[in-house]
Amino acid sequence: MTDLAKLPVTVITGFLGSGKTTLIRHLMQNPGGRRLAVVVNEFGDVGVDGEILKGCAIPDCPAENIVELANGCICCTVADDFIPTIEALMALDPRPDHILIETSGLALPKPLLKAFDWPDIRSRITVDGVIALADAEAVAAGRFAPNVAAVEAQRLADDSLDHETPLSEVFEDQIACADIVLLTKPDLAGPEGVARARAIISAEAPRPLPIVEVAEGAVDPRVILGLEAAAEDDIDARPSHHDDHDDHEHDDFDSVVIDIPEIADPAELVARIADLARRRNILRVKGHAAVAGKPMRLLVQAVGARVRHQYDRPWRPEEGRRGRLVVIAEHHDIDAAAIRGVLAPGPQAAE
């Protein structure tokens, strides 16, 4: 790449727990000859995704090329956070060949595309493509794509009815903005579930979109990098529920950070998280825990009541073996005291 060439950026969007971090980790390990840089936009105070990716750093994507923007929407902090981050990455020596941006699972991608029109960078950078990840099992269950005909019937019957949920709007906007949709976790959905998910996504998409099944983030980089979509110049073809608004709000969602004491049994913590998700409509839990007698830190990732955990690295001396979990839900479902009571009962827990 010459210094005069625009630096390509791939925006990776998708709902909470759809597999964005797993995909980026695979691309870092299989860059297709590209030197990568990564920007991670987290929702909540515990930067789990950024730390996971830094732990996977390799010569083609060293740790200094991985930047985390925590607890803030990129497109709402363009001047203060996003532009300086992009400029810093472009100034690296050697310069990255490609930048990957992992958006928050709660983010609307279209406002982020508009940020690429910022005067300081628009002549030096281009959006190579927008990749939307969709959890096949969740989509097949109809959680984020309501029955359009039924919703329209309700709307016509009562104009005051709130017929769209915030979750469905986020999902639909991500699909509408995409150049390619990756259907993740197809093994959990099964053939019939995958077929249903494909049909739902195709119905939501404003134009025909490639839909690719991907397990554990394993996709050939040639499929999703090098699209040359110039998405920043194609914004009008990517409709959004929020096109009539000058800005957008994130008040529909909230998060709380729970400190948890050392645990004796990971299975008990998993059961607590699953119970919390079912009883309080929790969308996402992620973080880490200290297990008695274990020198390794326990990494925890949950999407609803589906919980995954693994030991990821040794505890560092300065960390003090303190467990922390960030819990994300719609605003009206966040009750810090109730969540703490389930995940960390007793006087040792703190927000």
Side-chain angles (χ1 to χ4, degrees):
M1 177 189 299
T2 68
D3 289 340
L4 297 177
K6 284 190 174 183
L7 182 62
V9 173
T10 293
V11 176
I12 299 175
T13 185
F15 205 76
L16 296 162
S18 60
K20 299 186 299 296
T21 303
T22 301
L23 172 67
I24 292 178
R25 183 167 52 190
H26 175 78
L27 292 174
M28 288 170 58
Q29 295 168 345
N30 302 274
R34 298 172 176 85
R35 183 175 177 85
L36 300 177
V38 180
V39 178
V40 181
N41 192 205
E42 292 265 31
F43 186 89
D45 295 324
V46 180
V48 175
D49 296 345
E51 188 168 350
I52 291 172
L53 293 176
K54 287 180 180 180
C56 301
I58 59 173
D60 282 332
C61 188
E64 60 267 24
N65 284 29
I66 303 169
V67 180
E68 182 181 4
L69 299 178
N71 207 29
C73 169
I74 290 177
C75 51
C76 294
T77 58
V78 172
D80 294 335
D81 295 324
F82 180 61
I83 299 302
T85 295
I86 295 298
E87 289 183 325
L89 292 176
M90 289 192 290
L92 290 172
D93 186 14
R95 182 190 185 194
D97 300 314
H98 205 112
I99 297 176
L100 308 176
I101 297 180
E102 177 188 346
T103 70
S104 159
L106 305 174
L108 302 176
K110 188 168 181 177
L112 175 56
L113 295 190
K114 294 179 180 178
F116 285 91
D117 196 40
W118 196 263
D120 290 348
I121 63 170
R122 63 187 176 193
S123 65
R124 297 185 289 155
I125 204 163
T126 183
V127 182
D128 181 71
V130 178
I131 312 301
L133 276 67
D135 183 313
E137 183 186 39
V139 175
R143 297 173 193 160
F144 314 127
N147 185 310
V148 177
V151 166
E152 180 64 8
Q154 289 174 332
R155 187 191 69 80
L156 292 174
D158 184 353
D159 287 339
S160 68
L161 186 64
D162 181 13
H163 63 271
E164 287 284 352
T165 68
L167 299 186
S168 69
E169 289 189 3
V170 171
F171 174 74
E172 291 162 13
D173 279 18
Q174 289 172 349
I175 296 300
C177 200
D179 294 290
I180 292 179
V181 177
L182 300 185
L183 203 55
T184 62
K185 306 170 189 174
D187 53 321
L188 297 180
E192 291 184 2
V194 167
R196 282 198 301 273
R198 283 180 173 274
I200 290 169
I201 291 169
S202 296
E204 294 292 350
R207 59 196 182 284
L209 288 177
I211 302 174
V212 180
E213 294 176 40
V214 174
E216 297 298 331
V219 62
D220 190 322
R222 294 174 298 179
V223 174
I224 61 173
L225 303 183
L227 301 182
E228 300 182 358
E232 72 276 12
D233 297 328
D234 188 36
I235 291 179
D236 290 342
R238 303 164 191 262
S240 165
H241 288 282
H242 300 77
D243 283 339
D244 295 331
H245 301 282
D246 292 333
D247 52 21
H248 58 285
E249 301 295 333
H250 299 278
D251 293 341
D252 294 322
F253 304 98
D254 205 349
S255 66
V256 61
V257 177
I258 306 296
D259 288 352
I260 59 175
E262 190 173 68
I263 64 174
D265 182 7
E268 182 181 359
L269 177 62
V270 167
R272 287 178 180 273
I273 293 172
D275 180 59
L276 178 71
R278 285 188 290 264
R279 290 201 286 122
R280 305 207 63 87
N281 199 31
I282 299 302
L283 304 175
R284 188 83 158 95
V285 177
K286 55 184 179 178
H288 46 265
V291 181
K294 301 290 185 181
M296 301 285 285
R297 190 181 71 165
L298 185 73
L299 182 69
V300 179
Q301 299 266 19
V303 182
R306 195 168 71 218
V307 187
R308 300 177 68 177
H309 60 95
Q310 65 186 63
Y311 293 101
D312 66 334
R313 63 165 175 80
W315 284 97
R316 301 186 183 110
E318 69 274 12
E319 289 178 319
R321 294 177 62 88
R322 182 181 68 167
R324 302 195 83 191
L325 298 173
V326 58
V327 180
I328 304 172
E330 291 187 66
H331 182 76
H332 59 270
D333 289 319
I334 288 288
D335 181 331
I339 293 170
R340 185 181 299 108
V342 175
L343 295 182
Q348 291 173 287
E351 185 175 346

